[in-house]
Amino acid sequence: MKIVFATNNAHKLSEIKSILGSSIEIVSLSDIGCTVDIPETGKTLEENARIKAAYVFEHYGLSCFADDTGLEVEALHGAPGVYSARYAGGAGHDSEANMRKLLGELSGEPHRNARFRTVISLLQVNENHPQKPIEHQFEGIVTGHIATEKHGQEGFGYDPIFIPDGYNQSFAELGETIKNKISHRARAVEQLALFLKAGR
Ligand code: IMP
């Protein structure tokens, strides 16, 4: 079985390949010659994940899955959520600016519960209706809280300020091996893997 993962993020690609094993061939956007930065214009993680998967299905006619992740902070009514990458404005993906803004918003706030949520949208070629893919979504969540300052060097994004439940260190201190066992993305990918392996 061959399936496109709508990403060019090498870290995400290798994480997913290691969970899925060799029985399912995963290819990236660059592997299929897609160089477009698919715009994430949705208002929810679900919409954005589907938009990315649908782009590949519509333009290449291939089965595809895509993910979208957000950090949801209770005291901020779920913000930054779908806007996590662009929370501090600008072109986005400025993790230092995003963390600074979040710590500022939570300054003096004792209630710091938060969670990372990943949604994966899977669109599979439907042999009976070539224009109409078979659709499934999978979700992975890790709960925790936001620290009052940054800790640790590993990981990316909000990792230095997110402390998962059951631990007293941030994702950036815990490191990749522990994070990949308990993370939102790992949990969503496990759901996807169970589904794909069952249907093989
Ligand atoms: P994406 O949907 O995976 O691109 O994630 C959107 C944004 O959420 C990223 O730019 C990061 O700021 C944040 N993010 C996603 N996953 C993680 C994670 O595992 N740790 C920390 N931040 C993350």
Side-chain angles (χ1 to χ4, degrees):
M1 188 195 308
K2 178 171 155 178
I3 189 157
V4 182
F5 179 21
T7 188
N8 275 324
N9 180 323
H11 171 85
K12 286 186 183 177
L13 203 60
S14 74
E15 183 179 306
I16 281 192
K17 281 182 176 174
S18 80
I19 294 176
L20 288 176
S22 56
S23 51
I24 298 163
E25 188 191 351
I26 302 294
V27 296
S28 68
L29 289 177
S30 60
D31 291 330
I32 60 165
C34 177
T35 52
V36 176
D37 189 13
I38 304 166
E40 299 184 11
T41 51
K43 291 197 167 52
T44 63
L45 300 176
E46 284 79 2
E47 278 176 30
N48 275 345
R50 193 189 179 284
I51 286 169
K52 288 184 274 186
Y55 184 93
V56 172
F57 181 84
E58 282 159 18
H59 289 79
Y60 296 86
L62 297 169
S63 293
C64 175
F65 66 89
D67 72 328
D68 201 30
T69 295
L71 175 62
E72 301 174 338
V73 179
E74 270 182 24
L76 302 177
H77 313 289
V82 72
Y83 304 108
S84 293
R86 293 162 277 162
Y87 191 42
H93 295 288
D94 182 343
S95 298
E96 289 301 321
N98 287 339
M99 285 190 286
R100 226 179 5 256
K101 171 156 181 179
L102 183 55
L103 290 176
E105 295 287 340
L106 289 179
S107 173
E109 171 62 62
H111 182 75
R112 307 181 76 90
N113 288 357
R115 65 181 193 175
F116 274 113
R117 191 164 74 90
T118 292
V119 173
I120 292 178
S121 173
L122 170 69
L123 268 58
Q124 289 179 298
V125 172
N126 181 349
E127 303 297 348
N128 298 323
H129 300 280
Q131 306 300 326
K132 200 175 177 324
I134 301 165
E135 300 194 24
H136 293 276
Q137 286 205 328
F138 308 91
E139 183 184 66
I141 289 174
V142 60
T143 56
H145 68 272
I146 303 299
T148 50
E149 56 188 43
K150 295 188 293 172
H151 300 280
Q153 305 297 327
E154 289 196 49
F156 71 102
Y158 297 88
D159 279 349
I161 58 171
F162 183 81
I163 300 179
D165 286 343
Y167 295 83
N168 52 23
Q169 289 181 302
S170 73
F171 263 163
E173 291 175 299
L174 290 170
E176 198 172 321
T177 309
I178 294 178
K179 184 184 168 191
N180 284 349
K181 284 200 182 103
I182 62 168
S183 84
H184 43 299
R185 201 162 20 257
R187 287 174 175 164
V189 172
E190 276 158 21
Q191 300 297 313
L192 171 74
L194 282 174
F195 177 84
L196 290 177
K197 286 178 178 170
R200 216 174 44 233

